[in-house]
Amino acid sequence: MNPDTTRLARARERMGALGVDVLLLSVGPDLPYLTGYEAMPLERLTMFVLPVAGDPVLLVPRLEAPRVEARPDLFVLETWDETDDPVARVAALAGSVGQVAIGDQTWARFVLDLQRALPGAEFSPAGRVLAPLRVVKDTAEIDALRRAAHAVDGIAAEMRTRPFAGRREIDVHRELVERMLEAGHERANFAIVATAANAASPHHEPSSRVIADGDVVLCDFGGTMDGYCSDITRMFVVGEPTAEVADTYAVLVAAQEAGVQAATVGTPCEAVDAAARRLIADAGLGEHFVHRTGHGIGTEAHEDPYVVAGNLTPLAAGHAFSIEPGIYLPGRFGLRLEDIVVATATGPDRLNEAARDLAVVG
Amino acid sequence: MNPDTTRLARARERMGALGVDVLLLSVGPDLPYLTGYEAMPLERLTMFVLPVAGDPVLLVPRLEAPRVEARPDLFVLETWDETDDPVARVAALAGSVGQVAIGDQTWARFVLDLQRALPGAEFSPAGRVLAPLRVVKDTAEIDALRRAAHAVDGIAAEMRTRPFAGRREIDVHRELVERMLEAGHERANFAIVATAANAASPHHEPSSRVIADGDVVLCDFGGTMDGYCSDITRMFVVGEPTAEVADTYAVLVAAQEAGVQAATVGTPCEAVDAAARRLIADAGLGEHFVHRTGHGIGTEAHEDPYVVAGNLTPLAAGHAFSIEPGIYLPGRFGLRLEDIVVATATGPDRLNEAARDLAVVG
C-alpha cells in the first residue's frame, strides 16, 4: 500500500468536522491506510499521533524502526527505547487535548494507560473518523480487490481438479494457505475447510476428520494481497450429491444471486440482506440461515458496510462487500456461497468469477 | 489446553484481594487460559464475564457457538444474534459493578462501548489479576513448553543440512512456517529470516532478497503447539564466516550463556539482562545490542516476565522466558541467539537443546 497525502488531509477534514483534536492509531488497518506502515501486534506500543493541525508523528519501538519506510510527506518518525515510557511519549505528543479518537483495535491496556495519561480527554473510536473514508474504495483499491479476487478464483478452479476423499480437513486447509501465498497473497487470513456435519458450523476450525465419499466440503478462504483482502466460499461434494443437498444448494444459489442483484447504489444494506434471506425463508429454511448476508471488505477482512438487518446505510458507489448466504442443518451438513461485490453507478460489479455450481470432486 | 477449575478459583481469589468485581475477557490468551476457548479476533464480540461471585458466562456470537467446547464446570454458554447488542448483554451480565478488569488485548471500540454501558465502573487491565497467575508455569505447562521447544530444535537441526544460497528470504520463511506446522504446531506465529545487512533489523520482514555466498542468515521462529509457544533463534552462514563475524558471534554466545546462567530463582529480571549485556558492552559492542535480553513465554509469545532494565521482579520457580541477546551492525550484519529457559529451584533449565554454534551452510 502506498497512501498519498490526500487520505491524511481527508482524515483531518473529518476530525475538524467532528471536533476531534488528535487521532491515535496503533495495530489494525487504519494505520497502514494512512501511513503505509503496519504495527506489530505485540506488547511494545506503536502509535501514530495525528493532531488536527501540526506535525504527524509515528512513534515506534527503536528495534522496529528499520521496518518503517520513510514517508516524510506523511509523518516524522520517532523511536522509543526499551526503558522509555511510550504512553508518556504519546501523551506529550498529543499535548492538551479534549477529544481523542483512538484506533478501534488498539489494545485495552494502552487505551486505559492513555486515558490515565490524558485525564481531561474524552475518547472515542477512530472508526468515527476513518470508517466513512475507508468504506468508499477508489479505482486503485477496487483494482487491488479485483486482483485478490481473481487470485482466489484461480485457486477455487484448481480445487475442482484436486482429490478430496481420504484427506483430512487440515490437509486441505494447509493446501489452501499454501496456494494463497503462491498466488501472490502476502498473508493467508483464514481457510475454513468444513466437511459433512462440520459444515453446519459457519466458523468451523479445520480438524483431522478424514473426508469421505458423499461429503459436502465447504471451503471459505481469503488473505491479503498488496494490502487488500480476498474472501471466497465455494462448495464441493465428493461424488454425486443427494437430492436434498442438490435442492438445498439450488435455493442457496438463487438466494445469493438475489443478494447480488439487490446490491445497487442507494439500496439500504438491510434490504440487500432481506433480498437474499427471503428466498431461503420461502423455501422453509429461514431458521437455518443464522448469520448476516455479508460484510464490507478492503484492507480489513471484515469492515463497513455490514449487510445485516438493522443497517439502514444506503449502498454508495465504491462500497465493497461480500454476499454470502448460508444454510446450516445441524448434525447433517452446511452450505455457503460467497462472492465479493462492488456497488457501482451501473449496478453490482461481482469481482469473483469462479464457477458457482456445486463442484463434484473425487 | 484443558484448564481445570483451580485457575478460575485462583483468579477469583485475586479479584477479591484486589477489589475487582468482574473480569471481562475477549480476544487474547487470558480467555483460553481460564476456559479453553479462544475468541476469534473479529468484529463480533466474544466475552467471558466472571463475577467475583456468581455464575461465569461465556457470551459468543451465535454462529460461533459450535466452536465452543462445553465446560459446564467452568461457564454457562450464552449466544447473541446478529441484530442483538452484545455490549448491552455484557453490561446486564456484569450488573452494578464498581471495579471492572478487562482483558489487556480487548479491542478499544469494545472498551469504550463498555465504559459507556457501565458508567459508574472503573476499568483496569485484567493483567493485574491474571499475569501473576500465568507467569508461574505448572509442570504440565513446562512440559508443553518443552515439547514445543523440542519441535523447533528439530527444525533448527534440519536447517543446517538445507541449501540457503540462491533462495529468497521469503522462501526460507515459508519453509520454516511449513515445518512448524508439520512438527505439530497448530499455528506458526512468526518466522523471521533476515540475511546479511537485513539481519541488522531485529524484526526484519522476510523479503525477496536472494541469499548469497558469505551471507549470515538469522532465523527466529516460533509458533503455538498444544496452546504453548515456541521461540528459537539460530544463526547460519553461507560458507566460512569472516573473522569479524566469527569473533562477534563468539561474544554473543558468551553473553547468551551468561544470561542463561544468571537466571536463577530470586535474581531480579534486570540483573539477568545486565549479565548478558555486560559481556557485549565489554567487547565494545554495547550500543549495538538495541533491545532487552528476553521476554516471558507461555500461551502468549511475549508475556511476563520481561528480562529488561528496570524490571526489579525476582525470578521465581516456574517462570519461563527467552534469553536472546543480539548484536546489530547497521548496513552490515546482525546476530542473535535465543533459547527458552525456565527458572527452577535447582537452577536455570534451558528447554532448547539445538546446537548453538554458527552453522556453516551451502
Side-chain angles (χ1 to χ4, degrees):
Chain A
M1 204 163 358
N2 198 20
D4 61 21
T5 54
T6 315
R7 288 183 182 171
L8 271 195
R10 293 179 64 212
R12 282 178 148 164
E13 198 177 301
R14 244 190 99 71
M15 288 167 68
L18 294 168
V20 169
D21 298 309
V22 68
L23 188 68
L24 301 179
L25 301 180
S26 186
V27 292
D30 289 334
L31 179 57
Y33 184 77
L34 289 185
T35 68
Y37 181 71
E38 187 167 359
M40 302 190 79
L42 290 172
E43 73 287 356
R44 290 184 184 95
L45 181 64
T46 291
M47 196 146 260
F48 179 57
V49 181
L50 177 68
V52 68
D55 289 335
V57 171
L58 178 61
L59 178 70
V60 303
R62 182 177 166 196
L63 80 165
E64 290 166 13
R67 297 177 74 234
V68 182
E69 189 189 340
R71 287 296 303 264
D73 54 332
L74 297 177
F75 56 80
V76 174
L77 181 67
E78 295 194 11
T79 63
W80 60 273
D81 283 319
E82 294 282 45
T83 53
D84 293 342
D85 176 355
V87 169
R89 292 280 298 276
V90 169
L93 287 166
S96 174
V97 285
Q99 290 285 338
V100 174
I102 191 159
D104 292 21
Q105 298 177 20
T106 308
W107 285 11
R109 49 178 282 201
F110 297 123
V111 177
L112 298 175
D113 282 349
L114 284 162
Q115 286 177 330
R116 262 190 301 276
L118 295 166
E122 191 176 327
F123 282 66
S124 61
R128 285 172 73 212
V129 175
L130 294 173
L133 306 188
R134 283 178 43 204
V135 74
V136 177
K137 273 69 179 177
D138 64 25
T139 309
E141 293 182 288
I142 294 168
D143 287 347
L145 286 167
R146 195 184 309 273
R147 284 194 303 273
H150 287 177
V152 291
D153 279 349
I155 298 170
E158 279 174 24
M159 294 307 287
R160 298 169 72 98
T161 67
R162 299 281 295 141
F164 280 76
R167 299 170 74 199
R168 300 173 305 168
E169 290 179 352
I170 190 82
D171 300 324
V172 179
H173 161 85
R174 287 185 188 158
E175 177 177 0
L176 289 170
V177 167
E178 189 60 35
R179 283 179 185 258
M180 282 191 274
L181 298 175
E182 285 169 4
H185 285 65
E186 61 261 23
R187 187 162 61 213
N189 294 328
F190 55 87
I192 299 173
V193 177
T195 62
N198 289 345
S201 168
H203 279 180
H204 176 68
E205 310 253 321
S207 75
S208 57
R209 182 180 182 279
V210 176
I211 303 172
D213 270 353
D215 284 356
V216 299
V217 182
L218 182 158
C219 294
D220 181 353
F221 53 102
T224 304
M225 186 163 131
D226 298 332
Y228 284 80
C229 291
S230 62
D231 191 354
I232 187 171
T233 308
R234 288 296 182 268
M235 294 299 313
F236 304 85
V237 61
V238 183
E240 289 302 319
T242 63
E244 186 191 13
V245 166
D247 291 349
T248 310
Y249 192 72
V251 171
L252 182 67
V253 169
Q256 203 253 1
E257 182 68 25
V260 172
Q261 294 312 325
T264 54
V265 168
T267 304
C269 287
E270 70 166 14
V272 178
D273 179 80
R277 199 168 296 278
R278 190 175 308 117
L279 273 81
I280 295 174
D282 287 352
L285 295 164
E287 68 179 302
H288 298 298
F289 178 15
V290 295
H291 55 71
R292 66 192 175 206
T293 291
H295 55 79
I297 189 166
T299 58
E300 201 168 9
H302 291 182
E303 59 182 47
D304 283 335
Y306 291 100
V307 183
V308 61
N311 187 358
L312 303 175
T313 311
L315 289 177
H319 283 190
F321 44 86
S322 69
I323 297 291
E324 50 173 316
I327 300 173
Y328 308 97
L329 301 172
R332 305 187 51 230
F333 65 91
L335 303 170
R336 182 162 67 246
L337 178 64
E338 174 182 26
D339 291 311
I340 302 304
V341 176
V342 177
T344 80
T346 55
D349 178 6
R350 181 140 56 173
L351 303 188
N352 294 102
E353 296 176 348
R356 289 179 196 90
D357 60 320
L358 181 58
V360 175
V361 293
Chain B
M1 203 161 2
N2 198 20
D4 60 21
T5 54
T6 316
R7 289 183 181 171
L8 270 195
R10 294 180 63 212
R12 280 178 150 163
E13 199 178 299
R14 244 190 99 69
M15 288 167 68
L18 293 168
V20 169
D21 299 308
V22 68
L23 189 67
L24 301 179
L25 301 180
S26 184
V27 291
D30 289 334
L31 179 57
Y33 183 78
L34 289 185
T35 67
Y37 181 71
E38 187 168 359
M40 301 189 80
L42 289 173
E43 73 287 356
R44 290 184 183 95
L45 181 65
T46 291
M47 196 146 261
F48 180 56
V49 181
L50 177 68
V52 68
D55 289 335
V57 171
L58 178 61
L59 178 69
V60 304
R62 182 177 167 197
L63 79 166
E64 289 166 14
R67 297 177 74 236
V68 182
E69 189 188 340
R71 287 297 303 264
D73 54 332
L74 297 177
F75 55 80
V76 175
L77 181 66
E78 296 194 11
T79 63
W80 60 273
D81 284 319
E82 295 282 43
T83 53
D84 292 344
D85 176 356
V87 168
R89 292 279 297 276
V90 170
L93 288 166
S96 174
V97 284
Q99 290 285 338
V100 173
I102 189 157
D104 292 22
Q105 297 176 20
T106 308
W107 286 10
R109 49 178 280 201
F110 296 122
V111 177
L112 298 174
D113 282 350
L114 284 161
Q115 286 177 329
R116 261 191 301 276
L118 295 166
E122 191 175 326
F123 281 66
S124 61
R128 287 171 71 212
V129 175
L130 295 173
L133 308 187
R134 282 178 42 204
V135 74
V136 177
K137 273 69 181 177
D138 64 25
T139 309
E141 292 182 288
I142 294 169
D143 287 348
L145 286 168
R146 197 184 308 274
R147 284 194 303 273
H150 286 178
V152 291
D153 279 350
I155 298 169
E158 279 174 21
M159 293 308 286
R160 298 169 72 97
T161 67
R162 299 280 297 141
F164 280 77
R167 299 170 73 201
R168 299 174 305 168
E169 290 178 354
I170 190 81
D171 300 324
V172 179
H173 161 85
R174 287 185 188 157
E175 177 176 1
L176 290 169
V177 167
E178 189 60 35
R179 283 178 185 259
M180 282 191 274
L181 298 175
E182 285 168 4
H185 285 65
E186 60 260 22
R187 185 162 63 211
N189 294 328
F190 55 88
I192 298 173
V193 177
T195 63
N198 289 345
S201 168
H203 278 180
H204 176 68
E205 310 252 319
S207 75
S208 57
R209 182 180 181 280
V210 176
I211 303 173
D213 270 352
D215 284 355
V216 300
V217 182
L218 183 158
C219 294
D220 181 353
F221 52 102
T224 304
M225 186 163 131
D226 298 333
Y228 284 80
C229 290
S230 61
D231 191 354
I232 187 172
T233 308
R234 287 296 183 265
M235 295 298 315
F236 304 85
V237 61
V238 183
E240 289 302 319
T242 64
E244 186 191 13
V245 166
D247 292 349
T248 309
Y249 192 72
V251 171
L252 183 67
V253 169
Q256 204 253 1
E257 183 68 25
V260 172
Q261 295 311 327
T264 54
V265 168
T267 305
C269 288
E270 70 166 13
V272 179
D273 179 80
R277 198 167 298 279
R278 190 175 310 117
L279 272 82
I280 294 174
D282 286 352
L285 295 164
E287 68 179 302
H288 299 297
F289 178 16
V290 295
H291 56 71
R292 65 192 175 206
T293 291
H295 55 80
I297 189 166
T299 57
E300 201 167 10
H302 291 183
E303 60 182 47
D304 282 335
Y306 290 99
V307 183
V308 61
N311 187 358
L312 302 175
T313 312
L315 289 177
H319 283 189
F321 44 87
S322 69
I323 297 289
E324 51 173 315
I327 300 173
Y328 308 96
L329 301 172
R332 304 189 48 229
F333 65 90
L335 303 170
R336 181 162 68 246
L337 179 63
E338 174 182 26
D339 290 312
I340 302 304
V341 177
V342 177
T344 81
T346 56
D349 179 5
R350 181 141 54 175
L351 302 188
N352 295 101
E353 296 174 348
R356 290 178 197 91
D357 59 321
L358 181 58
V360 175
V361 293

